[in-house]
Amino acid sequence: MTPARTPGDGPGTILVGVDGSIPSLRAAAYAVGLARRQRSRLVAVYVRTLSATVLSLADSGGHAALNVVDAHDAVERQLRDAVERDIARLDVDAHLVVRTGEPFTELVAVAQALNADAVIVGRSAGALHRLAGSIAVKLVRCGRWPVTVVL
């Protein structure tokens, strides 16, 4: 059983963005350790993204959209299993929130709704972040929470 929190303990709620990538899984592992040490609640957020291209394929009956949805389902199942089975054994108060949309927008919305004290994300692995900016950089610029970026 997790000991009761006392004033001066670390963050009350830690939010971690996960998408199944290696950097996000590293961020999740770091967040689990921090939540356990600080006796914090951990909320993992998985955002199912559906780009305009995928949506247009879905409208035309394309199978690519179904493959993307199947991939999202598989990642979500793995994350649920990890939270319910693996993290629960560590006696961490952990929850998974699944949203659909743009990752930055959804992470901010969940962090605000939960009054998160800290946000943890993995380093962006994609080339697109050079043009649009990584989620981590956007969260830091947002300036509402301490943001930890795990490499």
Side-chain angles (χ1 to χ4, degrees):
M1 178 175 263
T2 304
R5 291 184 48 76
T6 59
D9 282 346
T13 300
I14 298 170
L15 184 138
V16 61
V18 291
D19 63 8
S21 68
I22 297 297
S24 81
L25 296 177
R26 287 182 187 140
Y30 175 82
V32 167
L34 183 63
R36 185 171 185 225
R37 287 186 303 277
Q38 300 289 338
R39 297 187 297 267
S40 301
R41 177 173 66 151
L42 177 64
V43 178
V45 179
Y46 173 55
V47 180
R48 299 170 69 111
T49 57
L50 292 177
S51 68
T53 304
V54 171
L55 292 175
S56 67
L57 288 172
D59 289 342
S60 63
H63 296 287
L66 293 177
N67 292 339
V68 170
V69 171
D70 288 344
H72 282 303
D73 289 344
V75 171
E76 183 179 339
R77 274 192 306 276
Q78 290 172 342
L79 294 172
R80 282 197 189 285
D81 287 347
V83 169
E84 293 170 3
R85 185 186 59 236
D86 301 331
I87 297 173
R89 281 187 290 168
L90 298 173
D91 202 22
V92 173
D93 179 15
H95 308 277
L96 176 65
V97 173
V98 179
R99 295 280 185 99
T100 300
E102 195 278 318
F104 170 75
T105 303
E106 296 303 323
L107 286 172
V108 168
V110 173
Q112 287 176 328
L114 297 174
N115 290 324
D117 296 301
V119 177
I120 300 172
V121 293
R123 185 183 85 184
S124 176
L128 182 60
H129 80 271
R130 289 185 193 94
L131 299 173
S134 71
I135 292 170
V137 169
K138 290 178 182 178
L139 286 167
V140 169
R141 286 185 181 155
C142 184
R144 295 183 185 153
W145 314 271
V147 177
T148 302
V149 182
V150 178
L151 303 179

